[in-house]
Amino acid sequence: MKRDFSIALLAAMLCAGAASAQDKAGLVEEAKTLIQQFGGTLKAELQAAMKEKGPVHAIEVCNTRAPEIAARISADSGWSVGRSSHRLRNPANAPDAYTAAAIEEFLKRQDAGEKPDTLVKAEIVEEDGHKVFRMVKAIPTGGVCLNCHGGDQVKPEVEAALARLYPQDRARGFRSGEMRGVFTLSRRLD
Ligand code: HEC
């Protein structure tokens, strides 16, 4: 009897462990889909704007569309979806404590030779008494990004537009392949 009980208890514990691992895997997949939606929509709109009217116009697209797209995807999905960075352009994208710690960790791992496109952190944590799934994923700097986040590659008219919209801009001087920032997602589980 005692033995049966222990076996049942052990089975229950193992199942609970397996179920939460499965839940987490499902949440990671969902988060990846949202990142693709957010990143994909942004990139498509950015590239279309650059091609149509050049980088100065594209800055305005980023300025107004990036927060709108993030807000729409968050409202539709029930998740909180955003972007952040260690060198911010828009102070409104400042990281919360969890995201800031993940960014610090990614920077150390980048310094140690890991590639930004492999840097990701996903876990279930406790926040304000609630269970919350958090995921942070690094965003590498690509060639097109240098038009507005690079050093000398940034044209004077782009520089002027950035100075007007973002007087506190710190998101300049990035090199191709370097971590530019992160996608940060969260969802309350209870
Ligand atoms: C046409 C200019 C332009 C290009 C090209 C561009 N960005 Fe940006 N980026 C901006 C602007 C403007 C903002 C501020 C958006 C806002 O106000 O939320 C920004 C903000 C960001 C942020 C949010 C964090 C912060 O600093 O505020 C990240 C991350 C980012 N860009 C990554 C990239 C990446 C990666 C690429 C290339 C795939 C890229 N950007 C290409 C103009 C650009």
Side-chain angles (χ1 to χ4, degrees):
M1 172 69 193
K2 196 165 164 224
R3 189 161 166 271
D4 284 356
F5 177 72
S6 329
I7 288 171
L9 188 67
L10 183 67
M13 279 163 64
L14 285 174
C15 288
S20 82
Q22 213 170 36
D23 287 353
K24 193 181 151 194
L27 288 162
V28 168
E29 283 313 306
E30 224 179 298
K32 281 187 184 159
T33 306
L34 291 172
I35 289 175
Q36 267 162 15
Q37 263 178 38
F38 183 30
T41 310
L42 255 182
K43 214 166 185 173
E45 291 204 13
L46 185 72
Q47 273 163 352
M50 295 269 284
K51 215 167 143 187
E52 215 177 303
K53 291 192 189 156
V56 172
H57 171 70
I59 290 172
E60 319 224 321
V61 170
C62 263
N63 174 244
T64 53
R65 289 295 291 148
E68 276 169 19
I69 297 166
R72 181 177 48 76
I73 293 178
S74 298
D76 288 352
S77 64
W79 288 61
S80 155
V81 177
R83 294 186 306 167
S84 190
S85 181
H86 47 303
R87 277 158 52 193
L88 287 168
R89 172 149 292 164
N90 186 347
N93 296 325
D96 71 350
Y98 185 90
T99 307
I103 290 175
E104 280 305 309
E105 180 193 317
F106 290 173
L107 288 172
K108 286 201 187 109
R109 288 167 61 185
Q110 173 174 255
D111 283 349
E114 288 186 60
K115 293 250 176 297
D117 57 2
T118 62
L119 296 172
V120 57
K121 189 177 168 79
E123 58 187 347
I124 295 170
V125 297
E126 184 104 0
E127 276 176 7
D128 302 325
H130 295 286
K131 255 171 70 180
V132 181
F133 174 74
R134 302 280 322 224
M135 182 152 135
V136 183
K137 190 175 189 317
I139 311 174
T141 307
V144 65
C145 319
L146 299 177
N147 284 297
C148 302
H149 295 295
D152 296 344
Q153 303 95 332
V154 179
K155 293 187 179 142
E157 62 270 28
V158 173
E159 207 147 63
L162 288 173
R164 186 167 46 82
L165 285 166
Y166 303 99
Q168 305 173 52
D169 189 11
R170 292 182 55 224
R172 287 285 313 279
F174 283 91
R175 279 170 288 123
S176 189
E178 198 182 350
M179 176 169 104
R180 163 65 189 92
V182 296
F183 288 112
T184 179
L185 295 91
S186 70
R187 200 186 117 184
R188 241 184 77 172
L189 302 175
D190 61 8

